[in-house]
Amino acid sequence: MPDAAYPFVEVVIDTSGLTPVARRSPGVIAIVGTTPNGAAGGTAAVNTPHRVDTLDQAHSLFARVNADGTVSRTPLSRAIEVALLQDPRPSKIYGVRASGAEYAAALTALDAADDVTFVAIAEESDVGAAANGSPASGLTALKEHVESVSAGGFRRVGVAMVDPATARSDTYAADVTAAYGALANSDGRMVLVAARGATGDPAVAAMASMAGYPPHASLVLKPVRGLSIPLESQYGPSEITELSEAGINPIIDPALVVGEGLHFAEARTFGGAPLLYVDLVRVLDDIEFRLKAGLVGLVGDARITKAGMMRLKGSIRGILGPLERDAVIDGFAVQIPVLDILSIPTEARTDTDNAVVREAREARQVEALVAITYGPAVHRIRVRLSPTF
């Protein structure tokens, strides 16, 4: 017997469409650094990430604020000061107080911080050594950290610096390339900056400057604040070219830019070919996270049917479409092989087609192929000047 007509109209409110999609800000940085022991190094616990939004917080957590209001700064507090000077600034800054120079343990404290996209070690320019029965040291600890965490799914980039005290020489570029070669990473996970004679922390300044821009923004000629470099220490044209071609980003004061100020001369990763440029790595990391966050809701829900696979394809297009509209990418294509087969009438499918569908349903696994076209920023303009009379 059918139900009675009363109450005539029933409305059920489905709030599933209001479920937010996870977002990851692409401009979150973490700075690991040393401080004196005890209260002389601030109130922060060792090997514990602390979010820092103001200079007062940086001083309280990682420095000593004296009774007269003056501050006894530390390598970590000075580095955070430099990060706060950047304009635009990173969306979030974490500071981690290390126990002495035991960076590996402090970096490990960041393993679960899934919003961190850049990491640096305050005022550290020593390459250090890889783990050999003991924790890695120096900048090698930074490299091992970003490689390990990135491989685990939390993509991040380490930013290191060439020792600013390295003296000028005829073989400067070759020397620093050789000295820091152990930090190279073929997946674009390391960025190396050089600022000879700089006061301030070039690595942290560069990292915070990068983080202030959207992922697709090229770093070439973007300003780096909080540093000063004497004119006699600045790089000459041949050094800029040699360092850049080695994957090291020189910090320069270009005459072609109005006013005085320091800027990136290049935007490369260290050893990252074919992921040669920082913006390319950041865009791919950002798209990867967007796809994971946007599609996770379909796991256990979308079915391996034509309708279910159309839903999957539509979701992917919905994630990438705004990036195309905003000119982050120039275009994209989505192919789901199982959907292509399910779109064929059953009687027209080959034995191979049926086997592919059966295997997907048995394994409950679907492959989607996404191709994106990236239109990077111009880095060099060649002009041919032909004077005539």
Side-chain angles (χ1 to χ4, degrees):
M1 178 179 295
D3 295 337
Y6 184 82
F8 310 118
V9 178
E10 292 187 41
V11 178
V12 177
I13 299 175
D14 179 5
T15 61
S16 61
L18 301 178
T19 303
V21 177
R23 293 285 186 265
R24 186 189 194 211
S25 174
V28 179
I29 68 173
I31 307 169
V32 170
T34 60
T35 67
N37 294 329
T43 61
V46 172
N47 299 339
T48 303
H50 293 270
R51 178 172 177 173
V52 181
D53 296 307
T54 66
L55 196 56
D56 287 343
Q57 286 180 321
H59 291 161
S60 174
L61 288 167
F62 306 115
R64 182 186 186 93
V65 180
N66 303 310
D68 60 358
T70 60
V71 179
S72 298
R73 291 170 171 79
T74 67
L76 181 52
S77 71
R78 286 194 296 266
I80 293 175
E81 287 184 36
V82 169
L84 290 170
L85 288 173
Q86 304 309 309
D87 184 19
R89 278 169 52 172
S91 57
K92 188 186 295 185
I93 300 173
Y94 288 106
V96 185
R97 181 181 183 181
S99 177
E102 297 177 5
Y103 299 130
L107 290 164
T108 299
L110 292 167
D111 282 359
D114 58 357
D115 57 344
V116 173
T117 50
F118 287 100
V119 189
I121 299 178
E123 298 185 4
E124 182 59 72
S125 59
D126 181 53
V127 174
N132 185 17
S134 59
S137 61
L139 295 172
T140 300
L142 174 64
K143 179 192 176 188
E144 292 190 0
H145 168 75
V146 295
E147 289 175 341
S148 173
V149 175
S150 296
F154 293 168
R155 310 295 189 190
R156 58 186 60 164
V157 174
V159 184
M161 66 176 174
V162 173
D163 186 354
T166 303
R168 181 189 295 273
S169 71
D170 293 339
T171 58
Y172 177 89
D175 292 344
V176 298
T177 300
Y180 289 85
L183 299 180
N185 175 269
S186 60
D187 294 325
R189 294 293 143 201
M190 288 297 296
V191 173
L192 185 61
V193 298
R196 186 172 54 210
T199 56
D201 190 321
V204 170
M207 174 179 71
S209 177
M210 294 177 201
Y213 291 95
H216 62 280
S218 171
L219 300 178
V220 170
L221 294 182
K222 296 297 188 295
V224 181
R225 294 174 171 83
L227 305 177
S228 62
I229 303 177
L231 180 60
E232 64 273 14
S233 297
Q234 294 181 19
Y235 297 116
S238 62
E239 290 178 312
I240 294 172
T241 300
E242 291 170 3
L243 289 168
S244 298
E245 290 180 347
I248 302 173
N249 300 311
I251 304 299
I252 63 172
D253 183 1
L256 298 177
V257 177
V258 176
E260 292 189 6
L262 299 175
H263 299 72
F264 287 100
E266 254 298 349
R268 302 194 183 196
T269 59
F270 190 48
L275 298 175
L276 189 60
Y277 296 99
V278 178
D279 60 288
L280 177 57
V281 174
R282 295 186 69 199
V283 165
L284 292 177
D285 287 352
D286 184 47
I287 291 176
E288 178 186 7
F289 185 86
R290 288 171 183 258
L291 288 171
K292 287 180 177 179
L295 299 179
V296 70
L298 298 182
V299 176
D301 189 13
R303 309 192 72 81
I304 305 178
T305 62
K306 182 179 178 181
M309 295 300 95
M310 288 293 293
R311 181 182 174 191
L312 172 60
K313 187 172 185 176
S315 296
I316 295 175
R317 294 187 63 85
I319 293 167
L320 298 180
L323 296 177
E324 181 181 27
R325 182 189 60 209
D326 294 339
V328 174
I329 57 177
D330 195 47
F332 67 92
V334 181
Q335 182 184 10
I336 303 175
V338 170
L339 174 58
D340 295 340
I341 296 172
L342 292 173
S343 300
I344 302 172
T346 304
E347 62 276 8
R349 296 176 193 168
T350 66
D351 291 340
T352 300
D353 292 338
N354 290 328
V356 170
V357 174
R358 183 172 59 252
E359 182 180 346
R361 286 173 170 170
E362 289 176 351
R364 301 194 175 196
Q365 179 172 303
V366 173
E367 290 190 4
L369 308 177
V370 180
I372 64 171
T373 302
Y374 183 53
V378 174
H379 279 189
R380 174 178 292 193
I381 299 174
R382 293 181 181 271
V383 178
R384 182 175 181 180
L385 181 63
S386 301
T388 61
F389 291 98

